[in-house]
Amino acid sequence: MRLSEVLSKTPTSRFEQVQGFLNNSKLKCGKQKKISVGPVWLTYYCENCQSDITFISGDELYCIGIHERLISIDCVLKCPRCGAPVPVWFLVESREEIHGVAPEVRILKKSEKLSDMVSLSRGPYEGFSDLLEKANRAYHDQLGAGSIVYLRKIFEIATVQAANAVGIEYKKYEGGNPKNFSDLLQRVDAQCEIIPKEFSANGHKLFQELSTVVHGDFDEELGLKKFDALYRLTVGILENIRNKKEFSEAVKSLGWDNKGGAE
């Protein structure tokens, strides 16, 4: 695997082995070097093209040494259709010396400078891409509480939207006091089954885990440790809702009745 493949993925806490890219030579602190690691591919929403587009960098990137296990990488990605640019910066860490023949690396931080021409990818989860991105960024900035707050917000919005779709009334505040959201979740899931069957018995437990930060009973380090699992389960709910919607639309387009037979 080349370094560009790691840079083209969503940052995770895992180290991945890549081909050496510093020619087995140390890069001193503050020194810059051009490296040939292949193009970086990242998806953004191009306002000019009015769609999600995979933006591409050149084959050569620029890195700056920080210490023997850490480098900074700068590149500019462009829309292949209209040329709209996005400057992107990465902080890359290696498990051992980064100038080795086959270092294991991960992205500690990623930052891009968006513009009026380019915004975050709309992604497959309409209306939730921005919150998912913010949750990921908070996590990689070591903000355990912030990352979990975004996941809970996603869970809450998805549940309320499902309630509205089937006519279940919900008022966040009633008589000046917050209404019991767990009661809404139970009613919505009973009717819509928004929690995937793989963890449907623990849907309320997931909500409780995400809610601990809201009520202040939260440990930052524990939140960082739990983030990957909580993120996957939250995305699982969005996937389940999307799939149900797509299946329903497909059935209607075929003119089938509720029992699955042709009319």
Side-chain angles (χ1 to χ4, degrees):
M1 180 186 298
R2 304 183 77 182
L3 178 61
S4 61
E5 294 179 60
V6 174
L7 301 180
S8 299
K9 297 178 181 179
T10 299
T12 71
S13 58
R14 300 189 304 273
F15 286 96
E16 297 189 80
Q17 190 174 66
V18 298
Q19 299 174 13
F21 52 89
L22 291 175
N23 298 323
N24 207 26
S25 299
K26 292 183 178 180
L27 186 61
K28 294 182 179 179
C29 179
K31 294 295 183 180
Q32 185 178 35
K33 182 180 180 66
K34 184 185 292 187
I35 55 175
S36 181
V37 295
V40 176
W41 308 68
L42 294 172
T43 302
Y44 298 99
Y45 184 82
C46 180
E47 299 292 345
N48 293 332
C49 303
Q50 292 290 292
S51 64
D52 279 348
I53 300 287
T54 299
F55 284 56
I56 310 168
S57 77
D59 288 345
E60 295 183 327
L61 312 180
Y62 289 89
C63 71
I64 298 176
I66 299 175
H67 58 66
E68 61 183 16
R69 295 181 51 238
L70 200 64
I71 60 170
S72 168
I73 294 179
D74 293 303
C75 59
V76 176
L77 281 64
K78 293 183 179 181
C79 173
R81 294 183 185 174
C82 69
V86 179
V88 185
W89 168 80
F90 301 91
L91 188 62
V92 179
E93 178 188 38
S94 66
R95 192 188 295 275
E96 297 179 351
E97 293 183 335
I98 202 164
H99 63 273
V101 175
E104 294 180 56
V105 301
R106 64 180 178 183
I107 301 171
L108 282 185
K109 289 187 179 182
K110 182 186 80 172
S111 178
E112 60 267 281
K113 180 63 176 176
L114 301 177
S115 66
D116 292 340
M117 295 185 292
V118 183
S119 57
L120 293 174
S121 167
R122 303 294 169 90
Y125 310 112
E126 185 176 354
F128 294 98
S129 297
D130 186 53
L131 289 172
L132 288 169
E133 180 70 16
K134 287 178 179 177
N136 267 311
R137 292 189 182 195
Y139 169 69
H140 288 287
D141 285 340
Q142 300 294 296
L143 302 175
S147 64
I148 303 302
V149 164
Y150 287 121
L151 295 183
R152 187 193 183 281
K153 187 68 174 176
I154 291 167
F155 196 159
E156 180 180 341
I157 292 173
T159 303
V160 172
Q161 286 182 352
N164 292 335
V166 295
I168 297 177
E169 185 178 358
Y170 173 67
K171 296 179 180 179
K172 188 169 185 178
Y173 293 95
E174 189 169 306
N177 297 312
K179 194 169 175 62
N180 191 334
F181 185 81
S182 61
D183 175 65
L184 175 71
L185 174 60
Q186 290 176 0
R187 288 189 291 144
V188 168
D189 196 45
Q191 187 166 339
C192 307
E193 296 182 337
I194 64 172
I195 309 297
K197 62 181 181 180
E198 289 81 2
F199 64 98
S200 59
N202 293 311
H204 185 258
K205 191 170 184 178
L206 171 60
F207 174 71
Q208 288 180 319
E209 286 272 3
L210 297 174
S211 297
T212 54
V213 63
V214 177
H215 302 299
D217 184 19
F218 191 79
D219 179 87
E220 286 279 358
E221 189 63 30
L222 184 60
L224 293 172
K225 289 179 180 178
K226 289 185 174 183
F227 177 81
D228 284 340
L230 292 174
Y231 180 90
R232 183 64 191 93
L233 294 181
T234 302
V235 169
I237 293 172
L238 299 181
E239 290 174 343
N240 192 48
I241 293 172
R242 183 191 64 187
N243 288 341
K244 285 181 177 295
K245 181 180 178 182
E246 291 177 353
F247 293 157
S248 177
E249 291 174 350
V251 167
K252 287 180 181 178
S253 71
L254 291 171
W256 294 353
D257 61 21
N258 291 335
K259 295 181 180 179
E263 293 183 348

